[in-house]
């Protein structure tokens, strides 16, 4: 039947109009009901920082008395002069909680105002519960969600990405505590001079806050996180997990300590961090000249210098590896807190951070202060 009404075109079957109407209804339903709505990001910023550094210092001279090494050998190969060591009864969550309290004070908020706690660590107090839950208890936070991330030395930047994603999603968390905390010396074989000279303990904490002000630019400008599991054996603690549960054999063979392939690690660290930094700057439409500070992961002075020279920004690099050694996921955070509290960064400054760690993982992030 052909309907000849002015509302419709002449000689067009009415069923065609019904099909078109149904198609539009389905489109509207899919768009507004089933498709997640975009959330407007309104000023996610770093509102506070804090760090915790153990009091005990282990110098290169001290290590000379423990293993076959020397201050000259360590400084030449790593740039490290001393590192801070946690007490035997001082846990990763203790370090994390102390850093968190300082960050909360710096941000001017209390623990019960937190919506989420994320702790990046490869040296948790226990396999479970998560270290973040222990931090929640120790700082007196409310029953907010808590979890850990594990990406070794890249962990803090991974955690920043996770936190930012959750804050800018429909979950819309307003205040998030992000911590990088490690007791690396709990994984160190003090008879292995190739690794025991490298690591130290510490923690750094950050309060990320969505202040609801569209005039406030986000702290997250651009970032990249990546991994290559094909190289997982280059940096590893072989035992303690399900692959090699604790036994007399694993203890006797020192499988609960850090094992590392030095030359290969050096090459991959430099290549991955340089590439990630260049990609991040390209995403942001910026150049190294726009960066105020560059913070490569503080693992080894030679790696840091190689990355800085390849990027053409050696004069912008912040260094503290000589005082702390490699604190894994706490490394970049400690640098940021030192810069912040020394008044060496101001609002709007751009900071390029890059890291590399076991997994293998790597990351780079352009942060707006």
């Amino acid at each position: 039947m052909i309907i000849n009404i002015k509302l419709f075109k002449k000689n067009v079957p009415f069923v065609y109009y019904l099909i078109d109407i149904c198609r539009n209804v389905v489109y509207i339903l899919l768009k507004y009901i089933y498709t997640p709505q975009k959330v407007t990001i309104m000023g996610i910023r770093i509102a506070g920082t804090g760090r915790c550094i153990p009091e005990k210092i282990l110098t290169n001279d001290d290590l000379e008395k423990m293993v076959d090494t020397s201050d000259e050998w360590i400084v030449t190969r790593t740039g490290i002069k001393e590192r801070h060591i946690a007490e035997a009864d001082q846990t990763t969550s203790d370090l994390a909680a102390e850093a968190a309290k300082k960050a909360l004070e710096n941000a001017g908020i209390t623990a019960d105002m937190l919506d989420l706690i994320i702790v990046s660590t490869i040296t948790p107090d226990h396999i479970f519960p998560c270290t973040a839950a222990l931090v929640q208890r120790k700082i007196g936070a409310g029953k907010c969600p808590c979890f850990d991330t594990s990406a070794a030395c890249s962990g803090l930047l991974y955690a920043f990405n996770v936190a930012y994603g959750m804050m800018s999603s429909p979950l819309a968390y307003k205040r998030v505590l992000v911590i990088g905390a490690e007791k690396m010396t709990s994984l160190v074989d003090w008879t292995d001079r190739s690794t025991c000279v490298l690591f130290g303990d510490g923690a750094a904490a950050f309060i990320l806050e969505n202040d609801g002000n569209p005039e406030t630019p986000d702290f997250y400008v651009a970032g990249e996180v990546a991994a290559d599991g094909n190289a997982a054996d280059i940096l590893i603690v072989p035992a303690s997990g399900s692959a090699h549960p604790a036994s007399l054999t694993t203890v006797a063979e020192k499988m609960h300590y850090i094992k590392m392939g030095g030359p290969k690690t050096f090459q991959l660290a430099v290549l991955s961090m340089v590439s990630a930094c260049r990609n991040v700057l390209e995403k942001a439409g910026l150049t190294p000249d726009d960066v105020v500070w560059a913070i490569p992961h503080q693992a080894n002075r030679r790696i840091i210098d190689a990355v800085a020279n390849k990027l053409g920004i050696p004069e912008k690099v912040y260094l503290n590896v000589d005082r702390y050694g490699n604190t894994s996921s706490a490394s970049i955070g400690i640098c940021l807190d030192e810069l912040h509290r020394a008044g060496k960064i101001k609002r709007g400054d751009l900071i390029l951070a890059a890291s590399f760690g076991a997994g293998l993982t790597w990351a780079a992030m352009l942060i707006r202060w």
Side-chain angles (χ1 to χ4, degrees):
M1 180 179 69
I2 305 297
I3 299 180
N4 190 6
I5 304 176
K6 288 184 179 181
L7 184 61
F8 303 105
K9 294 180 180 180
K10 292 182 178 181
N11 302 322
V12 176
F14 183 66
V15 69
Y16 288 0
Y17 291 101
L18 288 176
I19 292 172
D20 193 52
I21 291 169
C22 291
R23 184 174 58 193
N24 280 283
V25 169
V26 170
Y27 172 77
I28 292 169
L29 288 173
L30 288 173
K31 182 176 180 181
Y32 292 101
I33 296 178
Y34 295 106
T35 303
Q37 299 301 296
K38 290 184 178 179
V39 175
T40 301
I41 301 169
M42 300 172 64
I44 299 175
R45 64 189 181 92
I46 296 175
T49 71
R51 71 181 184 273
C52 177
I53 307 298
E55 292 183 9
K56 183 179 178 181
I57 296 175
L58 186 69
T59 67
N60 291 346
D61 291 337
D62 294 327
L63 284 169
E64 285 183 15
K65 303 169 186 175
M66 299 167 60
V67 290
D68 181 18
T69 190
S70 67
D71 177 68
E72 186 275 334
W73 189 90
I74 298 170
V75 172
T76 300
R77 288 162 177 76
T78 69
I80 300 168
K81 297 179 180 179
E82 61 185 33
R83 67 286 296 146
H84 289 250
I85 308 298
E87 297 294 340
D89 61 351
Q90 193 174 26
T91 65
T92 295
S93 68
D94 290 333
L95 300 174
E98 185 61 31
K101 290 174 183 177
K102 292 177 180 178
L104 288 165
E105 181 182 8
N106 188 236
I109 65 171
T110 54
D112 61 328
M113 298 170 70
L114 295 171
D115 300 314
L116 174 66
I117 300 174
I118 303 173
V119 174
S120 169
T121 186
I122 53 171
T123 56
D125 291 19
H126 313 284
I127 297 297
F128 61 84
C130 67
T131 302
L134 302 179
V135 172
Q136 181 205 63
R137 181 176 67 188
K138 290 179 179 182
I139 65 175
K143 293 181 174 59
C144 62
C146 305
F147 62 88
D148 295 352
T149 62
S150 177
C153 302
S154 306
L156 183 67
L157 297 188
Y158 265 68
F160 273 152
N161 275 269
V162 172
Y164 183 75
M166 295 180 76
M167 294 178 79
S168 59
S169 76
L171 295 171
Y173 291 109
K174 185 175 182 180
R175 295 185 184 93
V176 178
L177 171 61
V178 177
I179 305 172
E182 304 288 6
K183 187 177 179 179
M184 293 301 296
T185 55
S186 66
L187 301 178
V188 165
D189 176 1
W190 293 106
T191 66
D192 178 9
R193 77 166 188 169
S194 66
T195 57
C196 74
V197 303
L198 300 176
F199 297 98
D201 304 327
F206 299 85
I207 304 297
L208 303 184
E209 183 177 43
N210 187 334
D211 64 9
N213 182 1
E215 300 296 321
T216 302
D218 287 338
F219 84 99
Y220 186 101
V221 180
E224 176 174 297
V225 291
D228 181 6
N230 293 312
D233 293 337
I234 291 176
L235 266 169
I236 190 170
V237 175
S240 297
S242 60
H244 299 285
S247 67
L248 291 175
T249 300
T250 63
V251 172
E253 295 182 2
K254 298 185 176 182
M255 295 174 64
H256 297 269
Y257 296 130
I258 298 167
K259 309 295 180 185
M260 181 169 61
K264 189 66 173 178
T265 303
F266 183 98
Q267 296 169 8
L268 291 172
V270 173
L271 290 173
S272 61
M273 285 197 285
V274 169
S275 174
C277 285
R278 287 173 175 164
N279 291 342
V280 165
L281 288 170
E282 184 178 353
K283 289 178 185 178
L286 300 171
T287 70
D289 292 336
D290 298 305
V291 174
V292 176
W293 286 102
I295 307 178
H297 169 51
Q298 306 288 301
N300 180 302
R301 178 63 188 267
R302 292 192 301 156
I303 293 176
I304 294 169
D305 288 345
V307 171
N309 289 330
K310 286 182 179 295
L311 292 173
I313 50 174
E315 74 287 351
K316 296 184 178 184
V317 169
Y318 185 76
L319 284 167
N320 65 16
V321 68
D322 58 321
R323 293 179 284 124
Y324 300 121
N326 183 350
T327 56
S328 190
S329 66
S331 158
I332 289 174
I334 292 172
C335 291
L336 286 170
D337 184 64
E338 285 189 336
L339 284 169
H340 172 53
R341 291 177 181 270
K344 294 182 178 179
I345 44 178
K346 62 182 185 300
R347 286 294 175 194
D349 282 352
L350 294 176
I351 303 160
L352 181 62
S355 56
F356 171 90
L360 292 173
T361 63
W362 61 92
M365 185 172 174
L366 189 62
I367 300 168
R368 181 185 290 107
W369 203 253

